[in-house]
């Protein structure tokens, strides 16, 4: 006996500080699809579709979350932050600035996940050592091999954020 499919209906989400109502997503629609297709937020990328590469990472209530495997219903009544919610081209977030200055990208496909995971790390541990950085980023895959530059960028971002607190 087949189970009935969840019914599409309005879903209200809080994304990057703004409230959005999505009308045609079923409760089990991956959050990634809603962010990219309905809200036109292209920071999170579709990578593996299995929650293993990290390209789709967003923050849900500050926790790094694989949006390709999390249903949109999980995000209701929670704060979702995407890469677009950190900063803009005119006003980069210190993490974004550090990644640019350290040239921590080749193709850039993994950067969304690396930056969002870095944000979660630095929110809970403002001065991480190398082991903490490697641990926080261990589930984010980079096929281009810029791990060294990424770790340097995380250290630089931590310093920028500390400098901002002392001003």
């Amino acid at each position: 006996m087949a189970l009935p499919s969840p019914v599409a209906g309005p879903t209200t989400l809080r994304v990057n500080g703004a409230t959005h109502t999505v009308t045609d997503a079923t409760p089990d629609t991956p959050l990634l699809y809603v962010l990219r297709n309905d809200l036109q937020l292209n920071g999170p990328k579709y990578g593996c579709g299995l929650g293993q590469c990290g390209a789709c990472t967003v923050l849900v209530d500050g926790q790094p979350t694989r949006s390709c495997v999390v249903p949109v219903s999980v995000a209701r009544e929670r704060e979702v932050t995407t890469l677009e919610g950190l900063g803009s081209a005119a006003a980069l977030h210190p993490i974004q600035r550090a990644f640019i200055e350290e040239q921590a990208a080749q193709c850039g496909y993994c950067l969304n996940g690396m930056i969002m995971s870095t944000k979660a790390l630095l929110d809970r541990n403002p001065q991480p050592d190398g082991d903490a950085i490697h641990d926080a980023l261990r589930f984010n895959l980079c096929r281009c091999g810029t791990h060294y530059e990424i770790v340097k960028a995380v250290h630089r971002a931590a310093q920028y954020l500390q400098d901002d607190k002392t001003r």
Side-chain angles (χ1 to χ4, degrees), residues 58-64 79 81-82 85-86 93-95 114-128 132-133 136 154 157-158 161-162 165:
V58 299
L59 302 181
V60 177
D61 289 341
Q63 296 300 309
E79 182 63 37
T81 306
T82 69
L86 293 186
H93 186 281
I95 295 170
M114 294 291 187
I115 290 171
M116 298 311 292
S117 295
T118 296
K119 171 78 166 98
L121 167 65
L122 296 179
D123 284 349
R124 72 177 179 274
N125 181 357
Q127 295 182 312
I133 294 169
V154 176
L161 292 168
Q162 287 298 313
K165 284 183 182 179

Side-chain angles (χ1 to χ4, degrees), residues 39-57:
L39 303 183
Q40 309 304 305
L41 298 169
N42 294 315
K45 305 289 186 238
Y46 183 90
C48 66
L50 301 170
Q52 295 178 355
C53 72
C56 67
T57 302

Side-chain angles (χ1 to χ4, degrees), residues 32 45-58 64-70 109-110 112-114 117 135-143 147:
L32 176 65
K45 305 289 186 238
Y46 183 90
C48 66
L50 301 170
Q52 295 178 355
C53 72
C56 67
T57 302
V58 299
T65 303
R66 306 296 198 212
S67 65
C68 72
V69 293
V70 170
Y109 209 79
C110 72
N112 173 78
M114 294 291 187
S117 295
D135 187 56
L137 300 179
R138 75 184 182 279
F139 296 117
N140 293 84
L141 303 179
C142 171
R143 297 183 70 190
H147 291 281

